[in-house]
Amino acid sequence: MNDAEKYYQSFQQEIIALQESDDEGGSREQLFTRIAVDMLADAGETENTTIAYDEKDLGKRGQHKINGYAVSDNYETVDLFISIYKTDETIVSIPKADIDRAASLVTNFFRKATYNDYASDIDESRPIFDFANQLATYDELKSNLVRVNAFILTNGEYKGNLPQNTEINGVQVFYQVFDINKLYLLSENSRLPIEIDFNDFGGERFVIPCMPASNTNNDSYKAYLAIMSGKCLYKLYEQYGARLLEQNVRSFLQFTGKINKGIRDTIKNEPHMFFAFNNGIAATADHIELDENNQISKIRNLQIVNGGQTTASIYTTAKKDKVDVSDIYVQVKFSVIENHDKYSDIVSQISRYSNTQNKVNDADFSANNPALVAIEKLSRYVLSPITPNTNIHTHWFFERARGQYKTLRSREGFTKAQRVAFDKKYPKEQVFTKVELAKYINAYQEVLGGYNKIIIGPNIVVRGNEKNYARFINNNLPDEKKINNIYFEDAVAKAILFKTAEKRYGTRKNDYCIGELRQVAVPYTISLINYLTDNKLDLYKIWKNQCITDTLSDFIYDMMKQVNAFIIDKSPITHYIEWAKKDECWELVKQHEWNFNIEEIKSDLIDDTNPPKRKILTDDDSSEEEEKHKEVLLRSIPFALWKKIGEWGRDAGFLDMTKQGWASDVAFIIKNNRPFSSRDKSHAMFLFETVFKYNPELLGEADTIAESESQDSKVFSNSSSEEITLELIKRMVDWDRRKRVLEDWKWKAMNDVISGRKPLTDRMKYVFYLNLELLKKKGFEGD
């Protein structure tokens, strides 16, 4: 069984498990669609997706079917999804006839909704109504729509050609097939590259002169300078749009295809000056092919990191103003990164420095934001409380980078028993991603800027994952120093609140379902309750109980019914979701007189006379035994070596004048056997760890110096560090490899010992004991 077959089996099991759960339900085909669409969204292939099934007249002329849709934030792109789902135990081959039929079915839906006002034949309560109505009547969508991507999703295997692209009402329709092999690649690589053959790009050949930049070829990248025609850029943007722009840049610069007036004027009035006036484009790729004439024939993983506005403006001017852009040329600087391991980091760096005119923080370009890393660490060792419903401690697993949960599960769950144990400790329903974290937190409480402008609010959540996540990172994520266990516990409480509200709202399969505006009513209601209670919901109570009370749940349900009806009633347009994205909608909700009795949830609110007592857990919370342990360790180093440490730190540049003074102070304390103050001990531990990190061999001189000065070199005997064995160190190394609690150099020191690169000395045992105590605080079981 190859990797794709194993992936298929796992995929099918996940769908069956979801169908059997009370939370998901639905047909297997729609659950498959949901999972596949989520993967495409994670990879930047789509955004703002909605799962909505509709079919009519199957087997007849004009038949149609659709499983889901998406409309981009700037209304340039509509994505259509249709699924071919198989229940077979093994992967089956999908014939081309089935793919062509699926393409015809989903295209027919778009044609009907666009031309024939199909929405008038649909019940307004159905999920597909809003989309069909948008296609028929929403002027902003009609005027901005550039492309339709028709995604044919299947868990079978397809090896044939793609259906021929078509055009409907002046809009290009591009077909893509994502079969089980492509989905597997997506799960492993997180995105699929854009690959272009310029000898046959959309039926045309484009000549792109290119030359390698001198003296720039190295292990990191290769540089090229090229000249690209306006017509080629037009075709690129027509087919790929915002997908061309490096994904993180698109998110944080809030890229849209709106035209730049200066570029437009130059194209229309002075096209011959465009090359001189325009700064050009910066792009990246992981492979480029030049022909014998030094022209680009093929390129892979093309991403524009600076110049997306130029590209969009050329397209829009040509499209709307009917301007010929064939004689416009743009300089393109290509950075080709062939090293797969370095690709993401280098692209992010290029993106960052290429966009210096925009205010973008370094951390915005990747999941390596220090605050997100801090949340990830907390999620690995903060254990949920024991409750009447759960008799074991569990983890809420924050998946900072895509696939972390799956990777950890496969690493720890070699046998069925191990997988069962893992699933109990890390329940799948307690896994949450970056965008989900942003949704839970942004929905909980509004944030206002200058002149009471709404920066964070439920209307931002409704705008979709990309926009909401960008607002969260830029406006609602604290500095890493403020991320502690209380922040994490509150974040989990907000997740519980949001997820419970979603369940209470229901879906079409539930008799109690409120309606079809769950994505609006849930964040709006949570924000509203927080607003009405003046931010007094007792989040700590929710964390301790790992659920909300029945009273609060009923209160939320009643408020959601009111909010749902209010938005439908007050919306000035029939596109209720579009109305709910606007600041005006949220302002109107806050101003309305709602029917509620706050006394009903009094027990769920913080009592100002007796607020919950909470303790911030820090790595500095040391036991008395640990403090004694540190002092023995520090006193085992002779005063002469402390002086030498100061000299080494000065010469190596690791210790400034102040810290060199610390070394002299510690030497004085050791020589005269004076007591350590807490400050002296803190300074001494800093010096010790600096040496251990950068020059551990220097510490090896301690015993030699002690013997020459007739000092006791057996200070470590019969200490608590005797419990440190090679087996225990191995377990610590394996545990911390997953949890990442220790600093890298501390982990490496232990790994060097179990690998045989360094001996396990008594001094090492003493140091590793401190590691052990820290790991125990984070959930490691030393016994």
Side-chain angles (χ1 to χ4, degrees), residues 186-318:
L186 207 57
S187 72
E188 294 296 306
N189 302 314
S190 78
R191 69 174 297 143
L192 294 176
I194 292 174
E195 299 185 48
I196 300 167
D197 182 350
F198 288 110
N199 290 319
D200 183 13
F201 179 38
E204 295 185 63
R205 181 176 184 271
F206 290 95
V207 175
I208 305 172
C210 180
M211 59 178 289
S214 61
N215 300 322
T216 57
N217 293 344
N218 51 59
D219 292 338
S220 297
Y221 79 104
K222 296 178 182 178
Y224 298 85
L225 290 176
I227 306 297
M228 191 173 288
S229 70
K231 187 176 181 181
C232 184
L233 285 170
Y234 176 97
K235 294 283 289 186
L236 284 169
Y237 190 81
E238 180 182 51
Q239 180 159 347
Y240 298 108
R243 278 189 63 211
L244 282 172
L245 199 67
E246 202 275 319
Q247 189 179 355
N248 289 315
V249 182
R250 180 169 75 247
S251 298
F252 294 100
L253 301 186
Q254 294 297 285
F255 175 73
T256 69
K258 293 180 181 178
I259 190 166
N260 179 292
K261 187 175 183 300
I263 296 175
R264 176 186 183 183
D265 290 344
T266 302
I267 294 172
K268 292 178 67 176
N269 303 321
E270 299 179 279
H272 60 287
M273 297 300 295
F274 191 90
F275 191 87
F277 290 170
N278 189 265
N279 289 330
I281 291 171
T284 61
D286 64 14
H287 179 71
I288 194 168
E289 289 184 22
L290 303 182
D291 62 20
E292 64 277 6
N293 298 316
N294 269 351
Q295 297 170 355
I296 300 177
S297 57
K298 293 181 180 180
I299 194 166
R300 186 179 65 207
N301 216 352
L302 174 62
Q303 292 279 278
I304 293 174
V305 295
N306 185 268
Q309 200 69 64
T310 294
T311 308
S313 295
I314 288 174
Y315 174 84
T316 309
T317 303

Side-chain angles (χ1 to χ4, degrees), residues 574-585:
T574 55
H575 310 294
Y576 308 125
I577 294 175
E578 293 303 313
W579 162 242
K581 294 177 181 179
K582 300 185 180 300
D583 292 357
E584 295 86 346
C585 182

Side-chain angles (χ1 to χ4, degrees), residues 19-31:
Q19 188 181 43
E20 293 174 349
S21 72
D22 293 332
D23 298 344
E24 298 293 338
S27 71
R28 290 190 188 180
E29 182 175 282
Q30 284 303 82
L31 292 171

Side-chain angles (χ1 to χ4, degrees), residues 405 408-409 412 417-427:
Y405 179 81
L408 182 59
R409 189 176 187 269
E412 290 203 355
Q418 288 175 324
R419 284 195 294 271
V420 169
F422 178 88
D423 292 342
K424 286 182 178 179
K425 192 173 183 181
Y426 300 97

Side-chain angles (χ1 to χ4, degrees), residues 515-633:
E516 300 295 341
L517 294 180
R518 187 170 81 162
Q519 70 187 88
V520 174
V522 170
Y524 263 81
T525 301
I526 290 173
S527 292
L528 178 62
I529 292 174
N530 183 283
Y531 177 78
L532 295 174
T533 60
D534 195 23
N535 193 28
K536 289 293 173 58
L537 275 179
D538 191 344
L539 294 174
Y540 189 45
K541 180 178 180 180
I542 297 174
W543 163 257
K544 287 192 298 182
N545 295 328
Q546 291 291 287
C547 65
I548 66 174
T549 64
D550 291 341
T551 304
L552 179 57
S553 179
D554 291 341
F555 187 87
I556 291 173
Y557 180 71
D558 183 64
M559 292 299 294
M560 283 194 297
K561 288 195 294 185
Q562 293 185 58
V563 169
N564 199 87
F566 178 83
I567 288 177
I568 292 174
D569 181 57
K570 298 298 181 181
S571 175
I573 56 177
T574 55
H575 310 294
Y576 308 125
I577 294 175
E578 293 303 313
W579 162 242
K581 294 177 181 179
K582 300 185 180 300
D583 292 357
E584 295 86 346
C585 182
W586 172 230
E587 291 290 1
L588 204 61
V589 167
K590 289 192 291 183
Q591 295 164 14
H592 183 65
E593 293 291 330
W594 298 95
N595 179 23
F596 67 95
N597 180 5
I598 204 69
E599 290 297 316
E600 293 178 4
I601 57 170
K602 187 174 182 180
S603 64
D604 294 292
L605 305 179
I606 293 173
D607 182 357
D608 289 333
T609 63
N610 185 29
K613 297 177 177 60
R614 307 180 70 174
K615 180 185 178 183
I616 298 177
L617 303 177
T618 70
D619 294 343
D620 296 329
D621 294 333
S622 301
S623 65
E624 183 178 348
E625 182 180 0
E626 280 183 77
E627 292 304 312
K628 291 179 180 178
H629 189 93
K630 289 178 182 177
E631 184 158 342
V632 172
L633 178 64

